[in-house]
Amino acid sequence: MTSFRFAFLISVVLCLAPVVSTQAQDDKPKRLKPSADSPVRPVDRIMVVVNEGVITERELETRVEAISQQLQKQGTPLPPKEIFARQMLERLILETLQLQHAKDAGLKLDDQEIDRALDRIAKDNNLTKTELRDNLVKDGISFAKFRDEVKREMTVARVREVEVEGRVTISESEVDVEMAQQATRPQGEAEYLAAHILVRIPEGATNEELKSRQKRADEAFAALKKGSDFGQISATYSDAQEALTAGNLGWRTAAKLPNMFVDALQSLSKGETSAVLKSANGFHIIKLLDKRGQGAAQTVTQTHARHILIKVNDGQAEAAAKNRIQQLKDRIDNGADFAEIAKAFSEDLSASKGGDLDWVYPGDTVPEFDRMMNSLQANQVSEPFLTNFGWHIIQVLERRDSEISADRNRVAARLGLRQRKADEAYQQWLLQLRDTAYVEYRLEDK
């Protein structure tokens, strides 16, 4: 069960918000445990007040311990505990803020959505739901606690979808510039597996703050040059979302990486690290972990799908729209023809074609639609889900791989731009969320 537990914990860390650099970080409490001469562990204490919520000492210790165990299993040296705890505390603050925002905005996950996610987790680990529960118990993890963590992770992801990803727009001129830049690169360019350290520059930073952040980045780079582990330096210095997972960005094509990163990666050999790079939002250090696909023909998986849409006109109509789409899903489950239901009830332009969307490329639809569609097997019908357009049901009919034409290269460029802009917009949204929040550090050093 070790590998499964690792996969879950890492996914939780990846969905935690990146650290937002603020002056308050210098004033954070460092003491996490009672002194050695204290014979009795004190009652759990409030470390931070976050608006109307709190983060307790025990909550932080539990998270630090869990992630520490996973880093040790990876063979990643741990940073000093005080620094590591500060990193984790900032992530907990931002996670708490996003969960509060979800509650205030009425973004809720129903039990069916969480159950489907648990089913996918079990399936991905070649387990039944019962085996998943049993293995968690063997690892000393309460299934109820595990389910709650999955719900928190999914809620944070939903907040990002609604508040950021659904609002990102890409102009044709931006795509033109991206296409021109791509034209200078080899056809069938590689995918990169890279790691990243970010020292963020606060918005409106003074010259003193800029120099301080530059010094921090230089210290990280100097430590790497002396042979320090990249993962340890990431956990110690980085403000990036991936700071506590060795900075790993996962496999990405050049289109889904900032051009500055691509330029650096193209000049690196496997295992090499770039110099300190500067962008508008911070100082970066990139490491090339691996590379694949150079010179291969570019292909993409297309999905032939159809869907039904019930639009949401205002807040009061959402419940009615959700109830309506569920009724239609129940009729399909009971044998009704999908195409006929779509023709009769769908509020999308595809209704006259039985909801048929023809062959859909990655990025042709909004992110939450793409994710749901990609999670389905051929002939499978999704559960109802919400996007900015309303409530949907999708049925995947078939899939195929095809080479990317010039037109589709433009779509791929747009998709890469969307991901990059969404990442940047998410960072800015988090900064604003953090700046407008009431955060009070309660537990002082003694």
Side-chain angles (χ1 to χ4, degrees), residues 86-184:
R86 290 174 187 170
Q87 290 271 44
M88 185 57 69
L89 183 58
E90 281 302 306
R91 282 164 170 74
L92 282 173
I93 290 170
L94 287 171
E95 181 185 1
T96 299
L97 287 172
Q98 289 175 91
L99 293 172
Q100 290 174 351
H101 181 87
K103 181 179 179 181
D104 294 342
L107 300 176
K108 298 180 180 178
L109 298 173
D110 58 37
D111 289 339
Q112 287 183 332
E113 289 180 273
I114 301 168
D115 288 337
R116 289 195 298 272
L118 291 169
D119 288 339
R120 287 196 298 272
I121 291 171
K123 184 178 179 181
D124 289 344
N125 286 274
N126 298 314
L127 300 171
T128 65
K129 193 83 165 284
T130 300
E131 290 171 336
L132 171 63
R133 185 188 298 267
D134 292 343
N135 283 332
L136 286 168
V137 171
K138 288 177 184 178
D139 266 8
I141 303 173
S142 159
F143 186 76
K145 176 66 174 176
F146 180 82
R147 192 177 193 279
D148 184 60
E149 290 291 349
V150 171
K151 181 179 180 180
R152 288 164 67 93
E153 181 180 344
M154 292 174 64
T155 302
V156 170
R158 178 66 57 82
V159 168
R160 172 170 170 147
E161 288 175 1
V162 172
E163 297 298 336
V164 178
E165 293 182 355
R167 301 181 183 182
V168 171
T169 58
I170 307 295
S171 70
E172 292 303 313
S173 61
E174 288 177 300
V175 179
D176 289 340
V177 172
E178 178 67 16
M179 293 291 289
Q181 291 174 332
Q182 289 187 8
T184 65

Side-chain angles (χ1 to χ4, degrees), residues 328-344:
L328 298 179
K329 174 63 164 57
D330 292 342
R331 290 177 63 176
I332 293 169
D333 289 344
N334 289 321
D337 182 76
F338 191 105
E340 293 304 316
I341 294 292
K343 288 178 181 178

Side-chain angles (χ1 to χ4, degrees), residues 10-287:
I10 290 302
S11 70
V12 171
V13 174
L14 288 174
C15 282
L16 290 177
V19 169
V20 176
S21 300
T22 63
Q23 185 62 37
Q25 280 184 285
D26 295 333
D27 302 323
K28 292 180 184 64
K30 301 177 182 178
R31 182 171 175 270
L32 298 178
K33 293 186 177 180
S35 59
D37 58 356
S38 176
V40 179
R41 179 185 177 92
V43 174
D44 195 14
R45 297 176 292 180
I46 294 174
M47 291 200 72
V48 186
V49 176
V50 184
N51 290 331
E52 69 276 13
V54 298
I55 296 171
T56 67
E57 184 179 23
R58 191 167 301 165
E59 184 180 359
L60 176 60
E61 287 180 343
T62 299
R63 188 66 67 91
V64 167
E65 179 64 23
I67 304 306
S68 294
Q69 290 177 4
Q70 300 312 314
L71 292 177
Q72 289 172 336
K73 288 176 183 177
Q74 296 176 68
T76 300
L78 296 177
K81 187 169 184 179
E82 291 177 359
I83 295 174
F84 190 50
R86 290 174 187 170
Q87 290 271 44
M88 185 57 69
L89 183 58
E90 281 302 306
R91 282 164 170 74
L92 282 173
I93 290 170
L94 287 171
E95 181 185 1
T96 299
L97 287 172
Q98 289 175 91
L99 293 172
Q100 290 174 351
H101 181 87
K103 181 179 179 181
D104 294 342
L107 300 176
K108 298 180 180 178
L109 298 173
D110 58 37
D111 289 339
Q112 287 183 332
E113 289 180 273
I114 301 168
D115 288 337
R116 289 195 298 272
L118 291 169
D119 288 339
R120 287 196 298 272
I121 291 171
K123 184 178 179 181
D124 289 344
N125 286 274
N126 298 314
L127 300 171
T128 65
K129 193 83 165 284
T130 300
E131 290 171 336
L132 171 63
R133 185 188 298 267
D134 292 343
N135 283 332
L136 286 168
V137 171
K138 288 177 184 178
D139 266 8
I141 303 173
S142 159
F143 186 76
K145 176 66 174 176
F146 180 82
R147 192 177 193 279
D148 184 60
E149 290 291 349
V150 171
K151 181 179 180 180
R152 288 164 67 93
E153 181 180 344
M154 292 174 64
T155 302
V156 170
R158 178 66 57 82
V159 168
R160 172 170 170 147
E161 288 175 1
V162 172
E163 297 298 336
V164 178
E165 293 182 355
R167 301 181 183 182
V168 171
T169 58
I170 307 295
S171 70
E172 292 303 313
S173 61
E174 288 177 300
V175 179
D176 289 340
V177 172
E178 178 67 16
M179 293 291 289
Q181 291 174 332
Q182 289 187 8
T184 65
R185 300 173 187 151
Q187 290 297 312
E189 64 180 315
E191 282 186 290
Y192 298 97
L193 180 62
H196 173 221
I197 290 171
L198 165 66
V199 176
R200 189 178 307 286
I201 299 174
E203 191 172 0
T206 64
N207 287 335
E208 289 73 19
E209 287 175 322
L210 190 61
K211 290 178 182 177
S212 174
R213 305 310 287 172
Q214 171 80 68
K215 180 180 178 182
R216 183 176 175 84
D218 290 341
E219 288 174 356
F221 181 71
L224 292 171
K225 293 295 284 184
K226 291 178 181 178
S228 294
D229 181 84
F230 194 95
Q232 182 185 37
I233 299 305
S234 172
T236 303
Y237 289 92
S238 183
D239 297 326
Q241 181 174 351
E242 308 82 15
L244 300 181
T245 53
N248 197 319
L249 296 172
W251 284 101
R252 296 196 189 186
T253 61
K256 295 182 179 180
L257 288 167
N259 290 317
M260 179 179 66
F261 288 14
V262 177
D263 291 341
L265 289 168
Q266 287 179 334
S267 66
L268 297 177
S269 298
K270 183 176 177 180
E272 288 185 339
T273 300
S274 74
V276 176
L277 311 171
K278 185 178 183 297
S279 73
N281 71 330
F283 298 96
H284 312 261
I285 303 172
I286 305 296
K287 181 177 182 178

